[in-house]
Amino acid sequence: MSRRPHHHVYVIELSKDVLREPRFRRCNPGYIDGKPCVYVGMTGLDPDVRFDKHKAGIQANRYVQQYGLWLLPDLYEGFNPMPYEEAVDREIEIGIDLRSAGFGVWQA
């Protein structure tokens, strides 16, 4: 008996202040001024719970903890929930798509 799909992808908007981070800038050479900066992740939790954990410093990404503003559900809600393997692939695809559109993207 297989488990019900419960993994989620999520996208968090980051403050533009993240652009002051040299490592973030280096990883986004195609960034277009004015486009959003985002963090793309996947989790077995509800995205709202995962965002709160990032902000609280629990298994947090440094950029999300310091610069995370809010979730951008329009960019991911239609995909969730899904099996783990699909979530891994979808996280990568979303990051590639957003980076191709000129977004500043960080993925762990």
Side-chain angles (χ1 to χ4, degrees):
M1 183 173 176
S2 64
R3 292 183 60 183
R4 178 174 72 47
H6 70 279
H7 284 84
H8 303 267
V9 290
Y10 61 97
V11 181
I12 297 171
E13 184 162 355
L14 304 174
S15 163
K16 294 281 198 251
D17 292 343
V18 74
L19 293 168
R20 296 184 191 139
E21 298 279 350
R23 189 168 174 213
F24 188 90
R25 284 297 268 199
R26 269 194 315 275
C27 289
N28 288 284
Y31 173 72
I32 297 172
D33 284 337
K35 291 281 190 169
C37 294
V38 298
Y39 175 85
V40 180
M42 64 149 293
T43 182
L45 304 172
D46 179 271
D48 289 315
V49 171
R50 185 65 187 108
F51 177 69
D52 291 344
K53 286 182 175 253
H54 274 295
K55 293 303 284 182
I58 301 167
Q59 296 176 325
N61 174 272
R62 182 176 74 86
Y63 294 143
V64 176
Q65 187 177 10
Q66 189 171 352
Y67 302 108
L69 299 174
W70 45 70
L71 290 163
L72 296 173
D74 289 350
L75 298 178
Y76 64 83
E77 266 185 344
F79 303 121
N80 295 329
M82 66 190 86
Y84 175 82
E85 296 79 15
E86 187 179 335
V88 170
D89 292 340
R90 182 71 64 183
E91 175 192 357
I92 293 166
E93 290 169 8
I94 290 172
I96 290 169
D97 289 348
L98 294 176
R99 197 171 266 124
S100 295
F103 283 51
V105 178
W106 193 262
Q107 288 176 288

